[in-house]
Amino acid sequence: MSGVTIISGERGSSPYTYENTARTRRAGGLVLHFHEAGPGDPAAPVLVMLHGGGPGASAWSAFGPSLSAFAPHFRVLLVDQPGFGRSDKPELDKDFFAYSADAVAALLEALGIEKAHFAGASLGGGACVRMALDHPGLVDRLVLTAPAGLALNLFTAEPTEGVKRLIEVNLAAEPTRAHLRGFLTSLVHDPALVTDELVEERYAQAVDPEARIGARHIGAAFATWPEAGMLWREAHRITAPTLLTWGREDRVNPVDGAFVALKAVPDARLHVFPRCGHLVYAERAAEFQRLVLDFLGG
């Protein structure tokens, strides 16, 4: 369920920075933090991108490097989901996917946005699925990267390696750098991508008190409403055209689960990236961006 960025892309050449795209807005009783960039055309289509979970997850850490590819074509909103980044971290009164979808729907209403494309990875993919189920009028097209809750593993035992590593981090009284390295390594196909610098960055975020509060609240919601996370049972109701993307070597949400999602969603197509783990949007950034632009261009 990770939102960790492994590959930074060409950040140095991008006109979009964390600071010049950062926004906050109160919506639905919450303060949500997000990043916004676009072509400046008020008629431009909107693309909402929702990150995955894990220590240090945020909209910017997952999709900041993608802004230079998508912002010339779309009004892009990278949203810190409730419990993550600089958004509020409340106790949840319903399952996480529904809570996040309702919060994002309220944000779009506050911004005067009537319809958008949605792209979500892992945990954020699950929130996008719930958005399509509970707020179908807001959703144009869906791009889902190894979405949580939509897959049903056919050949892989539960919990998967990546989920085990995440549980170890979240349950540790004091997470260690070894915990973080094990978790990060489970996300990627090439372990060389997990550098000492990356481990240090994510370790600082993993031990942040506010981040740990958010993780506890989200974990409690999944424990309280476990069946609500079984989104595959409702996937036949999704009406939006859907692009599923997966890494063949995904050790968090393995690719065998993708075929349940492909069969269940009425208007779905699947692209599997070889030599790629859970972070398709980072490990295969250029190819992922081309695929998404082609799909959303319709």
Side-chain angles (χ1 to χ4, degrees):
M1 297 183 180
S2 169
V4 173
T5 295
I6 300 296
I7 299 173
S8 61
E10 300 179 0
R11 288 189 180 182
S13 61
S14 174
Y16 309 110
T17 68
Y18 185 99
E19 291 77 14
N20 70 22
T21 60
R23 314 279 189 270
T24 58
R25 180 65 68 96
R26 177 171 289 277
L30 296 175
V31 174
L32 293 178
H33 177 263
F34 61 100
H35 297 270
E36 182 176 12
D41 179 1
V46 178
L47 172 60
V48 178
M49 305 187 78
L50 301 182
H51 59 86
S58 70
W60 186 261
S61 71
F63 295 120
S66 299
L67 271 180
S68 58
F70 296 127
H73 309 280
F74 304 97
R75 178 185 178 186
V76 184
L77 304 179
L78 314 181
V79 184
D80 284 345
Q81 297 187 81
F84 291 98
R86 292 172 58 189
S87 287
D88 281 349
K89 300 169 179 62
E91 292 186 32
L92 278 60
D93 57 3
K94 62 183 75 172
D95 73 277
F96 176 80
F97 296 138
Y99 194 96
S100 181
D102 288 350
V104 174
L107 175 63
L108 295 188
E109 181 178 8
L111 295 174
I113 296 171
E114 297 180 354
K115 202 169 186 107
H117 300 304
F118 286 83
S122 197
L123 188 73
C128 287
V129 170
R130 180 49 67 189
M131 177 71 72
L133 292 168
D134 291 357
H135 307 277
L138 286 174
V139 179
D140 193 344
R141 291 184 170 224
L142 286 175
V143 177
L144 305 174
T145 299
L150 191 59
L152 182 63
N153 291 335
L154 302 176
F155 309 117
T156 307
E158 297 278 6
T160 62
E161 178 187 349
V163 172
K164 286 180 182 176
R165 298 288 192 178
L166 179 59
I167 291 171
E168 288 174 1
V169 175
N170 287 340
L171 292 185
E174 290 293 336
T176 66
R177 290 171 176 81
H179 283 129
L180 266 294
R181 185 176 293 278
F183 170 64
L184 294 171
T185 301
S186 76
L187 302 178
V188 295
H189 173 58
D190 181 4
L193 296 172
V194 182
T195 63
D196 290 344
E197 180 184 11
L198 177 67
V199 172
E200 286 300 317
E201 177 186 346
R202 296 306 172 196
Y203 176 73
Q205 295 169 340
V207 298
D208 176 76
E210 285 294 314
R212 301 207 74 188
I213 289 171
R216 284 199 299 271
H217 289 166
I218 293 166
F222 274 105
T224 303
W225 297 282
E227 291 193 3
M230 301 178 186
L231 298 173
W232 54 269
R233 300 191 301 185
E234 301 178 67
H236 63 279
R237 297 197 290 110
I238 296 174
T239 58
T242 302
L243 172 65
L244 301 167
T245 66
W246 239 279
R248 190 181 64 187
E249 285 72 40
D250 193 327
R251 289 178 284 160
V252 178
N253 200 357
V255 72
D256 51 279
F259 298 100
V260 172
L262 179 64
K263 182 69 173 178
V265 179
D267 189 3
R269 63 281 288 145
L270 170 66
H271 188 96
V272 178
F273 295 79
R275 297 177 297 280
C276 183
H278 191 54
L279 307 182
V280 166
Y281 56 85
E283 291 186 84
R284 292 289 179 268
E287 186 179 356
F288 172 79
Q289 291 160 10
R290 288 194 299 269
L291 187 70
V292 172
L293 287 169
D294 181 65
F295 175 68
L296 297 184

